[in-house]
């Protein structure tokens, strides 16, 4: 299947490109050697593709071609879509893999992990392996009261402000020198027309489809979890459950939060690179 790529403009980490979809465009960039094995990275809700800035560098250094996409209504992707859930993000990732001549390893962080799982289950010929970082592939196990409070906090015109205030808490140990700039970039993206409404719709994502798809995954999978990830009551148990369901393995990042690829790139990068290069060598 052919997919249309719109004109390219400059981007700090590569060329910003657009994947044309039925109701809008998905912003992405591609870096690394043109003939390298393909890796497609899907960020989480409220984040940008630049969340993979450190991990992408590690993968490029190992010879991989890395494509990082923005979710619908986030970053450089349009906010003209009707649907903003796991399945929509998965369909965009699949279209990107097809357009770039996959197959690919798919890396998903947070909500992006749910999209990655659906892609692997629905299009196994396009997905060679999965890396799931701080993965939300099932609905929260937090109490009903906490879930309703979060829905209320993210459900109104104040949602952007709430998210930007909550974001630092997801980096419990080390925010890094570029965290403030990354947060400013997120804020600037969310202030663009239509983005706040798209973000609110994304917060209502139900992960049931991803969880139901997980037992159907037949490709190697790595679960990377920060052991202080505040989004999970017990990060280690969540990682073990997901890995057991997928038949995968777990790497815990000591002191890491929800974004270990940014918080502790010196630990996360080698773990991911070792996993994907090991699969190539075994293959």
């Amino acid at each position: 299947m052919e997919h249309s790529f719109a004109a390219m403009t400059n981007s700090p980490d590569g060329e910003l490109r657009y994947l044309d979809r039925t109701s809008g465009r998905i912003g992405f960039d591609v870096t690394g050697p043109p003939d390298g094995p393909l890796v497609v990275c899907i960020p989480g809700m409220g984040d940008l593709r630049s969340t993979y800035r450190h991990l992408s560098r590690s993968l490029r250094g190992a010879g991989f071609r890395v494509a990082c996409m923005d979710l619908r209504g986030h970053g450089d992707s349009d906010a003209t879509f009707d649907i903003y859930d796991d399945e929509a993000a998965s369909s965009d990732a699949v279209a990107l893999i097809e357009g770039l001549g996959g197959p690919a390893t798919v890396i998903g962080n947070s909500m992006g992990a749910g999209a990655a799982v659906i892609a692997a289950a629905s299009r196994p010929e396009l997905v060679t392996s999965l890396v799931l970082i701080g993965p939300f592939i099932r609905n929260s196990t937090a109490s009903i009261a906490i879930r309703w409070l979060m829905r209320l906090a993210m459900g109104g015109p104040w949602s952007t402000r709430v998210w930007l205030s909550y974001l630092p808490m997801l980096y419990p140990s080390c925010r890094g020198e570029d965290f403030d700039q990354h947060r400013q970039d997120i804020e600037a993206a969310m202030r663009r027309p239509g983005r706040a409404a798209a973000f609110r719709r994304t917060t209502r994502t139900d992960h049931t489809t991803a969880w139901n798809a997980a037992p159907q995954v037949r490709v190697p999978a790595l679960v990377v979890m920060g052991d202080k990830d505040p989004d999970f009551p017990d990060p280690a148990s969540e990682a073990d459950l997901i890995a057991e369901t997928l038949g995968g393995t777990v790497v815990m990042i000591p002191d890491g939060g929800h974004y270990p690829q940014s918080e502790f790139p010196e630990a996360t990068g080698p773990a991911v690179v070792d996993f994907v290069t090991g699969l190539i060598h075994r293959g």
Side-chain angles (χ1 to χ4, degrees), residues 73-283:
H74 291 61
D76 289 302
S77 293
D78 290 340
T80 54
F81 296 92
D82 296 324
I83 305 173
Y84 293 86
D85 59 11
D86 287 347
E87 292 172 272
S90 178
S91 72
D92 295 334
V94 165
L96 184 57
I97 295 169
E98 289 179 325
L100 292 174
T105 290
V106 180
I107 301 178
N109 181 204
S110 193
M111 168 185 163
V117 166
I118 294 171
S122 62
R123 298 296 303 274
E125 77 280 9
L126 291 177
V127 180
T128 56
S129 59
L130 291 176
V131 177
L132 309 179
I133 304 174
F136 268 111
I137 71 167
R138 64 176 185 146
N139 291 324
S140 174
T141 57
S143 69
I144 294 176
I146 291 176
R147 278 180 280 164
W148 273 106
L149 283 172
M150 287 299 294
R151 178 166 291 189
L152 177 63
M154 298 295 185
W158 51 82
S159 60
T160 296
R161 187 168 65 252
V162 170
W163 174 247
L164 292 170
S165 297
Y166 180 59
L167 188 62
M169 301 178 192
L170 297 173
Y171 294 75
S173 300
C174 178
R175 293 172 192 161
E177 295 180 356
D178 57 0
F179 171 79
D180 288 340
Q181 182 60 57
H182 185 62
R183 186 172 178 271
Q184 290 171 22
D185 292 343
I186 292 173
E187 180 175 12
M190 295 181 79
R191 299 292 183 191
R192 295 166 65 182
R195 298 310 197 276
F199 171 69
R200 289 195 294 272
R201 294 185 65 179
T202 308
T203 66
R204 303 182 192 126
T205 296
D206 186 305
H207 301 298
T208 300
T209 299
W211 188 238
N212 289 340
Q216 304 169 37
V217 172
R218 295 293 181 268
V219 300
L222 174 68
V223 178
V224 181
M225 184 78 81
D227 66 6
K228 292 185 178 178
D229 190 332
D231 267 348
F232 300 99
D234 187 338
S237 293
E238 186 72 15
D240 287 342
L241 174 63
I242 293 172
E244 180 180 358
T245 302
L246 295 172
T249 57
V250 174
V251 169
M252 298 298 297
I253 305 299
D255 299 320
H258 198 54
Y259 304 101
Q261 74 275 15
S262 300
E263 194 178 12
F264 291 104
E266 71 283 356
T268 305
V272 174
V273 169
D274 286 350
F275 173 72
V276 292
T277 55
L279 294 175
I280 290 174
H281 293 155
R282 289 201 298 271

